[in-house]
């Protein structure tokens, strides 16, 4: 048997094999380094698991889409910053008294339009209300409207769109025509018409209006996602094995089609917060005595020259909140999009 001949060069060294061929030693050494001292190479996108059948070392355990997304999200500074801002907003929405001890409806006309002073860092409104207290309590309205409207739109849109995409036929065509009608209604104009006859000062009419006019967009996305997943081989295999329609939807299609719905609902949350402020500013959304950033911005607009603090603080809080949810939606979309992985 011929002795192997090794080139003195470190890279690209070639050794003769017993069969008369040649083997690139650099390639074999690179493969050995990738294998490591304990066993075969661990594929990318896997996590350490239990020992293999022979007990020779750890075997990679494939990570799912959600595990990969969470790993990427927690390393993204944009996600960390936006999540911290949103957590802070949720905390003060639940317990605004933690950082604001006053009453947002308590006003003193003797302090009307006054600037900042000890105990009142944001100054006072034209009615003598504390701007800081009203800004803190206004977060509750924005968070409640945004979260509940997003949940309602996600629930109705995903159910109707998912069922239409799965069954097709008449129901798919009917949903398409209905959504076309809703797409032709301008949201702000629809709010001016529908909410102008509502006298309630609660958030429920505003939430109901948002859900009524904005669910078609998410239903289209859910329908397209279900249509895409339905064509996969694992769904066809489950159908061939006799899986019922309910099992196909809940066990095979829903877990793989829900990611786009979550992304769109997260981004839409910021849109709902801005829409509530817009409608309240126009006088058809929330109405006094409700506390809302839109109401405060509307009341402060005539005094922007002489008392800009009345407008800047609620407007700034609204901008930061909308920006935080937009940033969160962007990073979640990037983490859940398989084309970007």
């Amino acid at each position: 048997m011929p002795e192997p001949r090794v080139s003195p060069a470190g890279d690209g060294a070639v050794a003769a094999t017993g069969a008369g061929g040649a083997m690139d030693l650099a390639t074999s050494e690179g493969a050995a380094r990738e294998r490591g001292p304990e066993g075969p190479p661990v594929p990318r996108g896997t996590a350490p698991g239990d020992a293999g059948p022979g007990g020779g070392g750890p075997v990679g355990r494939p990570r799912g889409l959600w595990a990969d997304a969470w790993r990427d999200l927690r390393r993204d500074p944009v996600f960390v910053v936006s999540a911290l801002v949103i957590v802070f907003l949720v905390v003060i929405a639940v317990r605004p008294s933690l950082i604001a001890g006053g009453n947002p409806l308590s006003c003193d006309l003797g302090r009307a339009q006054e600037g900042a002073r000890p105990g009142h860092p944001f100054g006072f409104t034209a009615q003598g209300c504390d701007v800081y207290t009203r800004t803190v309590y206004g977060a509750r309205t924005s968070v409640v409207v945004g979260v509940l409207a997003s949940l309602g739109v996600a629930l109705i849109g995903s159910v109707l769109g998912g069922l239409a995409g799965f069954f097709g036929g008449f129901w798919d065509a009917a949903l398409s025509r209905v959504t076309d009608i809703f797409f032709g209604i301008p949201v702000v104009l629809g709010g001016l018409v529908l909410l102008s006859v509502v006298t309630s000062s609660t958030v429920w009419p505003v939430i109901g209006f948002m859900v009524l006019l904005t669910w078609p967009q998410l239903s289209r996305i859910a329908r397209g996602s279900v249509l895409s997943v339905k064509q996969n081989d694992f769904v066809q295999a489950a159908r061939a094995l006799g899986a019922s329609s309910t099992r196909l939807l809940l066990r095979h299609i829903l877990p793989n089609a829900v990611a786009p719905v979550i992304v769109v609902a997260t981004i839409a949350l910021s849109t709902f917060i801005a829409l509530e402020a817009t409608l309240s500013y126009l006088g058809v959304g929330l109405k006094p005595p409700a506390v809302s950033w839109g109401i405060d911005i509307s009341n402060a607009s005539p005094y922007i020259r002489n008392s800009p603090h009345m407008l800047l603080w609620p407007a700034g809080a609204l901008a930061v909140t909308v920006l935080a949810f937009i940033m969160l939606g962007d990073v979640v979309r990037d983490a859940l999009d398989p084309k970007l992985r």
Side-chain angles (χ1 to χ4, degrees), residues 165-199:
F166 181 77
F167 291 105
F170 170 78
W171 299 109
D172 191 14
L175 179 68
S176 297
R177 302 293 77 80
V178 171
T179 54
D180 289 341
I181 296 174
F182 278 92
F183 281 135
I185 303 176
V187 177
V188 176
L189 179 59
L192 290 173
V193 174
L194 295 177
L195 295 177
S196 60
V197 298
V198 177
T199 58

Side-chain angles (χ1 to χ4, degrees), residues 27-300:
T27 303
S28 62
E29 291 173 1
R33 286 194 299 268
E34 185 176 356
R35 282 197 305 269
E38 296 184 354
V42 177
R44 292 183 179 179
T46 59
D50 297 332
V59 176
R61 184 176 66 252
R63 284 192 298 263
L65 174 64
W66 300 102
D68 273 346
W70 172 243
R71 183 196 60 179
D72 294 341
L73 287 174
R74 65 187 181 185
R75 297 177 180 178
D76 193 331
V78 176
F79 170 78
V80 174
V81 173
S82 59
L84 290 176
V85 173
I86 292 173
V87 169
F88 173 74
L89 290 170
V90 172
V91 170
I92 66 173
V94 175
R95 293 291 300 275
S97 59
L98 293 176
I99 62 173
N103 186 351
L105 301 179
S106 177
C107 305
D108 183 3
L109 288 176
R111 297 179 175 179
Q113 302 184 41
E114 287 186 2
R117 56 183 297 177
H120 306 277
F122 294 175
F124 297 88
T125 66
Q127 291 78 31
C129 304
D130 184 26
V131 176
Y132 172 76
T133 303
R134 291 187 63 86
T135 301
V136 172
Y137 276 82
R140 170 180 293 178
T141 300
S142 296
V143 171
V144 169
V145 169
V147 170
L148 294 183
S150 296
L151 290 177
V153 169
L155 180 62
I156 296 176
S158 59
V159 170
L160 295 180
L163 292 177
F166 181 77
F167 291 105
F170 170 78
W171 299 109
D172 191 14
L175 179 68
S176 297
R177 302 293 77 80
V178 171
T179 54
D180 289 341
I181 296 174
F182 278 92
F183 281 135
I185 303 176
V187 177
V188 176
L189 179 59
L192 290 173
V193 174
L194 295 177
L195 295 177
S196 60
V197 298
V198 177
T199 58
S200 174
S201 60
T202 64
V203 299
W204 297 111
V206 178
I207 295 173
F209 154 75
M210 292 180 181
V211 174
L212 177 64
L213 290 189
T214 57
W215 68 265
Q217 179 183 5
L218 200 141
S219 70
R220 287 281 182 92
I221 295 172
R223 171 184 175 272
S225 182
V226 169
L227 286 174
S228 177
V229 174
K230 190 173 69 170
Q231 306 302 323
N232 290 333
D233 292 338
F234 65 87
V235 177
Q236 302 302 326
R239 189 189 301 273
L241 292 174
S244 63
S245 297
T246 303
R247 183 178 179 85
L248 286 175
L249 277 171
L250 299 180
R251 295 294 301 273
H252 301 283
I253 295 179
L254 179 60
N256 295 281
V258 73
V261 175
I262 293 176
V263 171
V264 174
T266 304
I267 298 176
L269 200 153
S270 62
T271 304
F272 293 141
I273 293 176
L275 180 59
E276 180 274 321
T278 301
L279 295 174
S280 298
Y281 177 84
L282 295 175
V284 296
L286 296 178
K287 301 173 179 63
V291 181
S292 167
W293 291 333
I295 295 176
D296 289 347
I297 293 173
S298 178
N299 293 335

